[in-house]
Amino acid sequence: MYFAALLARTEDGWEASDTELDDVETLSDLADLAREASPEEDTVLVLIEQEDSWFGVVRVDGEEDPRIYVSDAAAAARSAYGELLLTDELLGREPGADDGPDLDSLDLDGTEDGESGEAEEGEDSPDTDAVPHSPVGDREILGDLGIGEKELRALDANDALGTIAEVLGASEVLETVR
């Protein structure tokens, strides 16, 4: 189960709308959806939470590239909605890099049964491209809105979106779409 909402900053405060991500296939699609929520090119936040295991914030300021923060990359990687946010750039990978080992090219030398084996010099270990069990992205994404890096990292996925909305003064409008 997931919840996604758009918070658009207007001159009158924040406006919230819930959103379905079923038709969103890329980060660009998500940014376009956010831009449509604010015709004045004001700040729009896309807030996403997945089964209280992770949350993500995408910030779109006008035509600038979206800024992204994900609370637990490994948990998000197991979600179709999380995969939208976990770009190669965000994970520190080369764009278009393979997501894992090619099973057809693996050298099955007996170490697959749990025996320890040393990787040959210059050879990447299988965990090189592993997704971290930690936050990734722009940790200052909400800094100018009152939530610094330390506060953002301390948020629990269980109530993060509510806390963010409360600090922004948007908890009532977020609850109307929840």
Side-chain angles (χ1 to χ4, degrees), residues 2 8-9 11 16 18 36 42 62 72 76 86-87 93-95 97 106 112 119 124 130-131 134 159 168 172:
Y2 79 97
R9 185 166 51 179
E11 59 187 41
D18 64 340
E36 290 171 11
D42 288 323
D72 183 336
L86 298 175
T87 63
R93 295 180 183 162
E94 284 292 319
L106 288 179
E112 65 274 5
D124 289 337
V131 178
S134 62
D159 62 353
L168 298 176
E172 286 183 25

Side-chain angles (χ1 to χ4, degrees), residues 59 67-69 137-153:
R59 179 175 177 162
R67 296 165 57 193
I68 305 164
Y69 176 83
D138 184 348
R139 295 182 176 141
E140 289 295 325
I141 192 169
L142 301 173
D144 64 327
L145 300 173
I147 302 173
E149 176 182 354
K150 185 176 180 181
E151 293 85 3
L152 187 61
R153 290 179 56 96

